[in-house]
Amino acid sequence: MPSEANGQVESFQTSDGMNYAPKGRPNQVVQAGEFIFAAAALDHGHIYGMTGGLIEAGATLKWVYDPDPAKVQAFLKSYPQAAPAASLEQILQDPEVRLVASAAIPSERGPLGLRVMDAGKDYFTDKAPFTSLEQLEAARRKVQETGRKYAVYYSERLHVESAVYAGQLIQQGAVGRVLQITGFGPHRLNAPSRPSWFFEKDKYGGILCDIGSHQIEQFLFYSGCKDAEVVHSKVANYNHAEYPELEDYGDATLVGDNGATQYFRVDWFTPDGLSTWGDGRTFIMGTEGYIELRKYTDIARDRQGDHVYLVNKDGEQHFSVRGQIGFPYFGELILDCIHRTEHAMTQEHAFKAAELCLKAQNQALHLTTSL
């Protein structure tokens, strides 16, 4: 089992979650030119993490497109091997492109995915993949119609080594049957750095739809649920009256189809004194033990993240796994696209997480913020 980090992962942006882009060890599953992809719609900084993960797994980046030339130029500073496309159609009409990675404005992710799949290509989008249940159903139909993939970058599990390692421990039976998961997903607002759409609810979808999607995806994965019921959810704008459509707080309780339960909280209240953009933590309780993940920092002790704490019949254990686990999702996604398999993440799992976060958002109680 891992113990101390070995320094094999380069430093990455830690002050702002919007530009969080971990860099891992190259783990190529294909040779150069064997799997070609393009990046399009660069509205969210997660496109850098998505692109980097695919390249580390051996994918070849051919094109980049965004209607804003400044976004393209910034992207090319990190990935100069990409050629600027004159239009999205140039990418969609290129028979060499197998997959299009995108981090569009959330409300535009679903419609863009339909275009990509209609062009015969697989689609890899940032979370949240939809802002309405109607968009989700349209994507489900299009997947059935075209046979293409609609993959989702649920980065708080897929691109965090402690979260990957927790999944491995659970699969090994380290905590027995998972009964309950508690997740905390605080984020730093850093309002001046945010684009205007970030504060428009019809575009970002609401806090449970947006960053809540990470928490629900983790619940389904760690507990082994195929479905769940949203028992209760609530949202609020407690402290940002200058942005009336922003929800700065949200929480929800879910019950899975196997009896496992979840409570999670997401918010935009990371204090300036924290060394990273959010003190993300996950607690996983099982019949034979429990796990705590301190994903991005171990406050006042170690600014390096990816700490895993495990307590079971073998005692108390601490694993510092930064640089030791890697990010297998990207290689698995590439191979799934080539072989039409579902080892990285099933399509139904990706869609079910999206469905439940939308339901949590739609039925949320809006808390009053007046004193």
Side-chain angles (χ1 to χ4, degrees):
M1 289 183 175
S3 54
E4 295 301 321
N6 58 18
Q8 290 180 291
V9 173
E10 302 174 28
S11 62
F12 50 84
Q13 170 66 266
T14 60
S15 63
D16 184 354
M18 189 166 185
N19 295 307
Y20 178 75
K23 295 182 180 179
R25 294 167 294 180
N27 183 25
Q28 297 186 352
V29 299
V30 289
Q31 299 301 311
E34 188 177 350
F35 186 85
I36 294 173
F37 78 103
L42 315 178
D43 295 286
H44 197 292
H46 281 172
I47 191 64
Y48 289 87
M50 299 163 69
T51 300
L54 290 168
I55 290 173
E56 287 164 6
T60 299
L61 175 62
K62 182 175 181 180
W63 297 106
V64 59
Y65 174 72
D66 190 276
D68 182 351
K71 289 188 177 71
V72 173
Q73 289 306 309
F75 186 86
L76 291 173
K77 290 180 180 178
S78 295
Y79 301 107
Q81 67 269 45
S87 65
L88 178 63
E89 286 304 317
Q90 186 174 8
I91 291 173
L92 298 182
Q93 293 173 7
D94 184 345
E96 289 189 337
V97 173
R98 304 282 293 269
L99 176 143
V100 176
S102 172
I105 294 171
S107 60
E108 299 174 5
R109 291 170 185 170
L112 177 56
L114 302 185
R115 293 183 63 187
V116 171
M117 291 186 288
D118 273 335
K121 306 180 188 309
D122 294 316
Y123 182 55
F124 181 34
T125 181
D126 189 18
K127 66 77 216 162
F130 312 101
T131 54
S132 73
L133 289 168
E134 291 76 15
Q135 288 182 345
L136 167 61
E137 291 310 312
R140 278 185 163 136
R141 291 192 297 270
K142 190 63 68 176
V143 166
Q144 289 294 110
E145 175 188 330
T146 64
R148 296 293 97 192
K149 293 184 181 295
Y150 195 111
V152 183
Y153 181 59
Y154 292 111
S155 58
E156 289 188 24
R157 182 176 67 84
L158 304 176
H159 226 164
V160 175
E161 287 183 287
S162 56
V164 175
Y165 188 53
Q168 296 173 0
L169 289 174
I170 291 168
Q171 290 171 359
Q172 294 164 11
V175 296
R177 175 189 168 195
V178 172
L179 303 176
Q180 204 279 335
I181 296 171
T182 303
F184 300 105
H187 285 58
R188 176 171 285 128
L189 182 60
N190 197 11
S193 72
R194 301 289 178 176
S196 60
W197 60 259
F198 180 87
F199 302 100
E200 300 174 40
K201 190 173 179 182
D202 64 335
K203 293 184 178 178
Y204 79 90
I207 193 170
L208 298 178
C209 170
D210 181 19
I211 54 179
S213 63
H214 289 298
Q215 301 296 324
I216 291 176
E217 190 279 329
Q218 289 173 93
F219 170 58
L220 295 177
F221 178 78
Y222 290 138
S223 69
C225 294
K226 302 298 183 185
D227 200 355
E229 177 186 357
V230 180
V231 178
H232 183 74
S233 58
K234 50 189 179 289
V235 297
N237 182 340
Y238 279 125
N239 199 43
H240 296 90
E242 68 273 33
Y243 303 113
E245 295 186 37
L246 176 69
E247 294 170 349
D248 58 22
Y249 176 89
D251 66 31
T253 301
L254 285 79
V255 177
D257 56 6
N258 62 2
T261 68
Q262 178 191 36
Y263 169 81
F264 73 85
R265 185 201 77 215
V266 288
D267 65 75
W268 293 103
F269 287 108
T270 292
D272 291 342
L274 188 72
S275 58
T276 187
W277 54 268
D279 184 15
R281 300 197 186 195
T282 303
F283 299 82
I284 304 166
M285 185 190 79
T287 55
E288 299 175 22
Y290 62 89
I291 293 169
E292 178 186 350
L293 307 181
R294 301 182 187 179
K295 294 181 177 180
Y296 310 114
T297 186
D298 196 352
I299 58 169
R301 294 198 295 186
D302 186 353
R303 289 190 175 187
Q304 177 172 273
D306 289 309
H307 293 273
V308 179
Y309 293 87
L310 169 66
V311 182
N312 61 12
K313 61 181 175 56
D314 298 321
E316 305 168 4
Q317 300 177 77
H318 167 227
F319 309 105
S320 180
V321 300
R322 174 68 59 82
Q324 300 193 42
I325 306 302
F327 308 115
Y329 171 81
F330 299 93
E332 292 170 351
L333 175 61
I334 290 169
L335 294 177
D336 281 346
C337 291
I338 293 173
H339 302 300
R340 312 317 294 170
T341 49
E342 287 194 321
H343 299 299
M345 181 184 295
T346 68
Q347 187 65 77
E348 183 50 36
H349 176 91
F351 281 164
K352 181 57 67 173
E355 175 188 327
L356 291 171
C357 78
L358 288 165
K359 288 182 175 178
Q361 183 69 53
N362 290 348
Q363 70 185 56
L365 173 67
H366 289 255
L367 301 177
T368 178
T369 59
S370 60
L371 297 179

